[in-house]
Amino acid sequence: MPEAPSAAHDAAPDTVLVVDFGAQYAQLIARRVREARVYSEIVPSTMPVAEMLAKNPKAIILSGGPSSVYEEGAPQLDRSLFEAGVPVFGMCYGFQLMATTLGGTVDNTGSREYGRTPLAVSKTGSTLFEGTPEHQSVWMSHGDACSKAPEGFTVTASTDVVPVAAFENDEKKLYGVQYHPEVMHSTHGQQVLEHFLYRGAGLQPTWTTGNIVEEQIAAIRAQVGDKRAICGLSGGVDSAVAAALVQKAIGSQLTCVYVDHGLMRKGETEQVEKDFVAATGVQLKVVDAQERFLDALAGVSDPETKRKIIGREFIRVFEQAQAEIIAEAEGGPDVAFLVQGTLYPDVVESGGGTGTANIKSHHNVGGLPEDIEFELVEPLRQLFKDEVRMVGQELGLPEEIVQRQPFPGPGLGIRIVGEVTKDRLDLLREADAIARHELTAAGLDREIWQCPVVLLADVRSVGVQGDGRTYGHPIVLRPVSSEDAMTADWTRMPYEVLARISTRITNEVKDVNRVVLDCTSKPPGTIEWE
């Protein structure tokens, strides 16, 4: 988890650290802890133990990972972590690492367990398993097994393959399970996790959206002081909630700027100008920069270059707006801050979360120029998308804004595979509007997390329209279901809805003669095409 602003971090007394050993589920663990109403953040396993303890965690969770604990170069932890008096819960690799570090035995037995596995609980009244059944289904993913628990630990569960599938040491508040309690396939996994948090670590479920709002308002006021800030409204839930938070914190010191860069979807400019202003009462400045963005993007097809150009021009427009706002204020406080709706998944995918590789640059993270003149205010940087929506509801934003599908900062510029032109934008806007209308009419808005509509601008395929041969562009539908965009699966939409969308687009949108469905999960594919 990226570090929170210092004021907000200091205000969170009950923090659980999730130590990431390269697990595909590390972010999910953090989410599950938060669902238990306890604040969590992720740190890399390479962080020295002294730095982890300096964060004053009330509990620590060790994630799974792809390594074997006995392999050369496998991630390790200093024994001092287990002797610091902080409750620790190991999962999968974290469980095995705890076992070997404290004198237990982990070996490659030649038997593996993957997927749903029957677990036999031998101590049903233990700290972890109180109130859960003696036989339950859990999600396993391992090739090594713990055959001997460390001294002082009680074995509380096993499987047909693993003699030590869970152990507990109440005296030292150290616990571990071989399986993944954070995934929904572990039928009592959330209950076991909450037992560790509440019973093992003695934490209280007090972290709520109200806490988030209070902490961030305090942090924003401390950061901004008596200066002024501007915030770019994109029409999306992220920028809307970020702006509403800052507005609540500093009131008239904030001016929201809507940059009409010509890359928005149909009708969204009007929505920003009317709905959001009516809901929050913010000061809004609209800048028409459509020609500027189109000129800057002319001849550019590379997606990363497009992202960086859009990010650069966005900042330049903001600098221009800043000068105008200062002039209008007649020598008032400096406009020194730029508010952004950066989310945790943005930071992770840009390589800023736990030392991960850069998957793609984000408009809110990786696309900013180095000579930026603003100090960033990012009140949502710690949050997942569903938490942002809850904060929006807490702030009283309209349902149409809070439940709006995610939309990328670079807009339709990265939903056109190829050069961005006005004609191509107009074409994509019409196709997108048809898809959104039909999804809403079918009552699928809540079921579908996001449905990017993509124009393959540099591709033409043969078609037959009006008894004539055509060479039109394909339109790609990318409906996905997700909780937080870290992982996603394509949504199985009803065929009749797909048929209506396809028929309307090919009939009503000029130069389109083919509609295709993207049925790729994430991973391996990202949600957006570029």
Side-chain angles (χ1 to χ4, degrees):
M1 174 71 67
E3 289 192 13
S6 58
H9 186 275
D10 293 342
D14 292 345
T15 298
V16 174
L17 294 186
V18 177
V19 181
D20 183 6
F21 289 97
Q24 60 177 320
Y25 297 131
Q27 292 81 22
L28 184 57
I29 296 171
R31 283 180 50 79
R32 295 299 183 236
V33 174
R34 292 181 180 200
E35 287 172 8
R37 295 174 63 192
V38 177
Y39 177 69
S40 65
E41 52 180 74
I42 298 174
V43 297
S45 62
T46 53
M47 177 180 284
V49 168
E51 288 186 25
M52 295 182 192
L53 298 177
K55 289 179 170 286
N56 192 31
K58 301 305 180 186
I60 295 174
I61 295 176
L62 310 180
S63 83
S67 303
S68 292
V69 290
Y70 47 76
E71 287 180 347
E72 184 177 351
Q76 300 295 317
L77 272 181
D78 192 276
R79 185 186 178 99
S80 61
L81 179 75
F82 303 108
E83 298 171 343
V86 179
V88 181
F89 186 23
M91 301 177 179
C92 198
Y93 182 86
F95 164 76
Q96 295 175 0
L97 188 57
M98 182 188 294
T100 55
T101 303
L102 297 178
T105 303
V106 174
D107 4 65
N108 188 335
T109 61
S111 299
R112 301 183 177 190
E113 289 178 316
Y114 293 104
R116 287 186 177 86
T117 304
L119 181 79
V121 178
S122 54
K123 302 287 184 181
T124 53
S126 73
T127 296
L128 293 183
F129 294 106
E130 171 74 31
T132 69
E134 183 178 349
H135 298 284
Q136 51 191 274
S137 178
V138 299
W139 190 260
M140 290 282 193
S141 180
H142 68 96
D144 303 326
C146 180
S147 57
K148 178 185 175 183
E151 185 177 348
F153 283 73
T154 300
V155 177
T156 53
S158 61
T159 72
D160 291 341
V161 172
V162 180
V164 184
F167 55 47
E168 306 179 33
N169 186 326
D170 285 320
E171 181 182 353
K172 296 185 176 180
K173 297 187 180 301
L174 302 177
Y175 306 88
V177 296
Q178 176 59 72
Y179 60 94
H180 290 277
E182 71 275 21
V183 305
M184 63 180 181
H185 305 298
S186 294
T187 51
H188 297 275
Q190 184 68 12
Q191 190 175 355
V192 168
L193 175 59
E194 291 179 2
H195 281 345
F196 165 70
L197 296 172
Y198 305 153
R199 293 157 57 86
L203 296 171
Q204 297 296 316
T206 57
W207 193 68
T208 65
T209 51
N211 297 144
I212 299 171
V213 170
E214 291 173 7
E215 291 167 10
Q216 287 305 319
I217 286 175
I220 292 162
R221 287 173 177 165
Q223 182 182 6
V224 176
D226 61 357
K227 297 187 184 302
R228 299 181 65 187
I230 57 176
C231 176
L233 284 179
S234 67
V237 63
D238 303 340
S239 66
V241 173
L245 259 176
V246 177
Q247 168 76 9
K248 196 171 182 65
I250 62 174
S252 61
Q253 292 170 245
L254 172 69
T255 299
C256 288
V257 178
Y258 175 69
V259 177
D260 187 1
H261 48 31
L263 306 175
M264 298 299 287
R265 298 186 292 190
K266 190 173 183 179
E268 289 183 323
T269 295
E270 295 76 15
Q271 184 183 56
V272 171
E273 291 184 281
K274 295 178 181 178
D275 296 350
F276 186 77
V277 172
T280 61
V282 299
Q283 301 178 63
L284 179 65
K285 183 180 182 68
V286 179
V287 181
D288 185 350
Q290 296 183 59
E291 288 189 15
R292 175 174 182 156
F293 277 81
L294 283 174
D295 289 345
L297 290 167
V300 178
S301 296
D302 178 72
E304 281 298 291
T305 304
K306 285 195 287 188
R307 284 178 178 273
K308 292 186 184 301
I309 288 173
I310 294 168
R312 181 195 71 209
E313 293 302 316
F314 201 75
I315 290 299
R316 296 298 173 249
V317 171
F318 261 78
E319 289 173 340
Q320 179 182 336
Q322 176 195 34
E324 294 173 359
I325 292 169
I326 290 174
E328 293 166 3
E330 297 182 350
D334 289 342
V335 180
F337 296 91
L338 170 62
V339 180
Q340 288 204 137
T342 308
L343 304 190
Y344 177 46
D346 297 338
V347 177
V348 172
E349 291 199 342
S350 297
T354 58
T356 55
N358 188 326
I359 299 173
K360 62 184 177 183
S361 68
H362 279 264
H363 178 56
N364 285 345
V365 181
L368 300 179
E370 294 180 0
D371 61 342
I372 179 174
E373 296 181 3
F374 300 105
E375 182 178 337
L376 296 180
V377 178
E378 299 176 303
L380 310 180
R381 189 180 176 91
Q382 305 162 268
L383 305 181
F384 293 96
K385 178 71 76 171
D386 61 327
E387 293 169 331
V388 172
R389 295 191 195 281
M390 289 189 289
V391 169
Q393 291 172 332
E394 180 79 16
L395 292 169
L397 293 181
E399 188 79 358
E400 307 80 64
I401 293 176
V402 172
Q403 295 302 331
R404 182 176 183 249
Q405 285 190 0
F407 189 61
L412 299 180
I414 58 163
R415 290 186 178 176
I416 294 175
V417 180
E419 182 185 3
V420 178
T421 68
K422 185 179 185 305
D423 288 344
R424 290 175 173 182
L425 284 166
D426 290 342
L427 183 157
L428 181 54
R429 257 189 285 271
E430 291 303 317
D432 176 86
I434 290 170
R436 285 190 291 142
H437 178 270
E438 292 299 335
L439 292 176
T440 300
L444 296 174
D445 286 341
R446 291 296 185 93
E447 180 179 335
I448 296 175
W449 160 273
Q450 190 175 1
C451 185
V453 177
V454 181
L455 170 64
L456 303 185
D458 291 340
V459 176
R460 286 186 179 271
S461 63
V462 178
V464 178
Q465 291 174 301
D467 295 326
R469 188 180 182 89
T470 63
Y471 288 94
H473 297 291
I475 285 288
V476 180
L477 302 179
R478 173 73 166 131
V480 297
S481 300
S482 179
E483 289 187 336
D484 52 36
M486 298 302 301
T487 60
D489 194 13
W490 67 282
T491 307
R492 277 62 168 175
M493 291 169 53
Y495 289 153
E496 58 271 20
V497 177
L498 288 171
R500 281 198 300 272
I501 294 173
S502 177
T503 300
R504 285 197 58 194
I505 289 176
T506 53
N507 283 348
E508 299 174 29
V509 182
K510 184 182 177 182
D511 292 331
V512 174
N513 63 1
R514 195 177 298 270
V515 175
V516 300
L517 176 67
D518 181 346
C519 54
T520 311
S521 63
K522 175 187 179 182
T526 55
I527 293 177
E528 298 291 344
W529 271 51
E530 294 199 336

